[in-house]
Amino acid sequence: MYHVDSAKYNHGAHEVMDMHETLSTVIGGLDQCVLLRDQIQDPELRNMMDRQYQFCVDEYNTLVECFKTGRDPSQPTGHYQMTEDNKFTYGIKPGQPKKPITQASELNDEMISGYLLSSHKATATAKLAASLETTNPVVRRVLADSIPNCIEMAYEVSIYQNRKGYYQVPQLSSQDTVTITNCYDTMSNNQLQ
């Protein structure tokens, strides 16, 4: 077996391929923001996309740096701070059925915010999968530290969508919710024998 003693090449094959997939997913999301930004009608959505885009660019650069060098990045992973509150409106109102668009002119803020949400979900999934296969401890830590940021950005988008009526949140009946939440109980922390 050939051994390279440099941290720069301290990557396993699964890690390299998963990082390739992860970085490609991040690039796809960033490219999508560039392509869709000028189509946004709501200044609030544009502002959210701009903040998230800049944060994601910084995080992408941090991830690329540590992947290339195998060492701690010069800029540590930040923590995304959303500006939305965390209030959701529950329930479903009837509306028009969804279907794919057939013309670019049909694009609207509901769709764009949906693409943004999907991008964050895909990126979180890719980063999680990559972090489970990563052998380089720095890259693994940077990946793991960045997953909560994807979650926070997706959450911010979903709150925005909910407030605008784009993202409806159904609920079970109170009785069913109580029944299911009470299906589980804590246990004592005894050691296995």
Side-chain angles (χ1 to χ4, degrees), residues 124-152:
T125 301
K127 287 178 177 179
L128 175 61
S131 69
L132 297 173
E133 296 286 349
T134 297
T135 57
N136 181 290
V138 174
V139 176
R140 186 203 59 78
R141 189 193 71 239
V142 170
L143 282 166
D145 288 349
S146 68
I147 294 167
N149 293 322
C150 298
I151 295 167
E152 198 74 1

Side-chain angles (χ1 to χ4, degrees), residues 22-187:
T22 298
L23 292 170
S24 295
T25 300
V26 173
I27 288 170
L30 292 170
D31 289 351
Q32 201 171 49
C33 288
V34 171
L35 293 171
L36 296 173
R37 186 185 186 282
D38 290 341
Q39 307 302 315
I40 296 174
Q41 300 298 311
D42 183 0
E44 182 182 359
L45 178 58
R46 186 177 300 109
N47 182 30
M48 183 182 357
M49 181 184 278
D50 289 347
R51 282 184 293 98
Q52 291 186 357
Y53 177 86
Q54 189 56 58
F55 186 89
C56 290
V57 166
D58 291 343
E59 197 169 72
Y60 168 81
N61 289 336
T62 297
L63 192 53
V64 168
E65 180 185 351
C66 75
F67 182 51
K68 282 181 146 183
T69 66
R71 301 187 192 286
D72 282 337
S74 55
Q75 177 72 30
T77 306
H79 298 285
Y80 183 77
Q81 298 292 319
M82 67 178 197
T83 60
E84 290 281 336
D85 60 28
N86 59 357
K87 295 178 185 171
F88 271 92
T89 300
Y90 294 93
I92 295 181
K93 297 177 184 170
Q96 293 296 316
K98 306 276 187 217
K99 62 181 179 179
I101 63 173
T102 57
Q103 299 176 53
S105 62
E106 296 176 67
L107 190 64
N108 60 37
D109 288 348
E110 179 178 2
M111 293 174 203
I112 293 170
S113 63
Y115 302 148
L116 187 57
L117 178 60
S118 294
S119 175
H120 293 313
K121 289 178 175 182
T123 302
T125 301
K127 287 178 177 179
L128 175 61
S131 69
L132 297 173
E133 296 286 349
T134 297
T135 57
N136 181 290
V138 174
V139 176
R140 186 203 59 78
R141 189 193 71 239
V142 170
L143 282 166
D145 288 349
S146 68
I147 294 167
N149 293 322
C150 298
I151 295 167
E152 198 74 1
M153 286 184 276
Y155 189 55
E156 182 177 42
V157 174
S158 68
I159 293 168
Y160 166 84
Q161 288 182 311
N162 179 257
R163 192 167 31 80
K164 297 292 185 176
Y166 307 152
Y167 185 94
Q168 298 188 52
V169 182
Q171 279 190 307
L172 296 173
S173 70
S174 296
Q175 180 180 350
D176 289 346
T177 300
V178 168
T179 300
I180 292 172
T181 57
N182 287 321
C183 282
Y184 304 95
D185 204 356
T186 58
M187 59 181 279

